[in-house]
Amino acid sequence: MNEKYKPLFNSFTFPNGINLKNRLVMAPMTNFSSNEDGTVTDAEVEYYARRSNGVSMVITACTYVTRNGKGFHGEFGADSDEMIPSLRKLASAIKAEGAKAVLQIFHGGRECPPELVPNGDIVSASDVQSERNSAKAPRALTGEEVEEIIAAFGETTRRAVEAGFDGVEIHGANGYLIQQFFSPHSNKRDDQWGGSLEKRMAFPLAVVDEVKRVTAKHAKDPFIVGYRFSPEEPEEPGITMADTLELIDALAEKDLD
Ligand SMILES: Cc1cc2nc3c(=O)[nH]c(=O)nc-3n(C[C@H](O)[C@H](O)[C@H](O)COP(=O)(O)O)c2cc1C
């Protein structure tokens, strides 16, 4: 092997003590292959098993934390305890091949196709239509609904623990709900969840706090908690690198892996 590639095979230890056998990780990739009811298909589980041998960690495709957060046809669900057996199949298949299994937890917000969410009721931080591929303007979440979605990220984390995952990755990137709260394009709120840069960070940080709280309560073994972000947006106004550096400083206080 070329000397310059050797560091890829060095192990890596997370702050929580979990050890990865190398630096090769499968990125989260939506596969549009789950059943209509949100359970994983056998073909999908086999797809993961085939890719879990050799890499040290697999981050799954994103999974919705509430029914109104389903962003893709054939996306699998983690929004109810009925999904735990399905989640367990996935975690077991990945771990059986020697990789750590991390569940990517997600809400699509205004990017959800209306036909995938109950009553076509698309929600986001505010009622601003996406310039990406959305078919419909969203409605702004009420304060109570915002709290419910934060709690749902926590409940999904508990299900990940119960299903045997080694961790979760909070999907704060690629223009979905968490990013929609951080973005000045999609967040025009004037309550505690929007307005200043600091308030636009409140929802992402509340999700992190809830996931960490649930992890401390339910995980008996060390559990990986990660956060994915997109540093900039093409929209005007949009997230800038200066905004992101502030978010990173706040995330760095949260004891993430
Ligand atoms: C088919 C496909 C599905 C993806 N699904 C997700 C996803 O569910 N969650 C996520 O965070 N990123 C997703 N991504 C982004 C990838 O994780 C990755 O960041 C992106 O493909 C860039 O890496 P690349 O240049 O090696 O393709 C997806 C990418 C592709 C191509």
Side-chain angles (χ1 to χ4, degrees):
M1 189 194 310
N2 190 315
E3 279 297 314
K4 72 182 179 197
Y5 299 128
K6 281 196 173 155
L8 287 171
F9 297 91
N10 292 343
S11 68
F12 174 83
T13 305
F14 282 110
N16 67 21
I18 290 183
N19 187 261
L20 298 186
K21 64 188 176 192
N22 59 45
R23 310 295 175 104
L24 301 170
V25 173
M26 179 168 158
M29 281 178 288
T30 290
N31 53 47
F32 312 95
S33 301
S34 311
N35 292 311
E36 276 295 305
D37 67 0
T39 56
V40 294
T41 56
D42 291 343
E44 184 177 18
V45 171
E46 283 162 25
Y47 157 93
Y48 278 100
R50 283 200 300 276
R51 287 161 179 78
S52 300
N53 187 322
V55 296
S56 59
M57 183 166 77
V58 170
I59 304 174
T60 68
C62 62
T63 185
Y64 50 93
V65 302
T66 61
R67 266 306 270 112
N68 66 2
K70 184 171 183 175
F72 305 96
H73 287 272
E75 180 180 345
F76 69 105
D79 60 321
S80 77
D81 284 5
E82 282 162 38
M83 293 294 143
I84 293 174
S86 158
L87 296 171
R88 189 173 292 128
K89 269 192 213 167
L90 194 51
S92 302
I94 294 168
K95 295 199 311 184
E97 296 298 326
K100 301 291 180 196
V102 172
L103 184 70
Q104 192 185 55
I105 58 178
F106 158 94
H107 189 297
R110 69 180 183 175
E111 299 298 338
C112 294
E115 69 275 16
L116 293 187
V117 305
N119 307 317
D121 184 24
I122 303 296
V123 296
S124 184
S126 300
D127 61 359
V128 183
Q129 185 158 2
S130 169
E131 292 172 13
R132 298 182 185 197
N133 47 17
S134 76
K136 193 177 164 184
R139 136 182 107 68
L141 290 160
T142 66
E144 198 179 327
E145 288 172 322
V146 173
E147 302 281 356
E148 283 167 10
I149 292 176
I150 293 165
F153 273 96
E155 281 289 277
T156 298
T157 301
R158 172 183 58 75
R159 292 178 198 117
V161 171
E162 291 180 18
F165 278 95
D166 297 294
V168 293
E169 178 175 78
I170 299 166
H171 195 344
N174 300 358
Y176 299 113
L177 186 68
I178 294 176
Q179 184 173 328
Q180 289 161 27
F181 270 88
F182 187 49
S183 167
H185 185 272
S186 38
N187 187 344
K188 308 283 183 196
R189 299 179 76 97
D190 55 12
D191 61 2
Q192 70 191 102
W193 306 112
S196 60
L197 172 62
E198 201 173 21
K199 286 181 173 176
R200 285 190 278 114
M201 276 193 242
F203 180 77
L205 297 176
V207 170
V208 171
D209 286 343
E210 180 61 4
V211 167
K212 292 291 291 181
R213 185 189 71 75
V214 168
T215 299
K217 187 170 173 202
H218 294 281
K220 291 182 187 67
D221 299 316
F223 191 80
I224 299 162
V225 178
Y227 186 99
R228 184 174 201 178
F229 59 87
S230 294
E232 293 178 304
E233 286 180 331
E235 288 90 355
E236 296 278 350
I239 296 168
T240 63
M241 192 60 81
D243 291 350
T244 292
L245 292 172
E246 296 281 335
L247 176 64
I248 292 170
D249 282 346
L251 289 172
E253 301 284 310
K254 297 290 180 189
D255 195 26
L256 291 163
D257 295 296

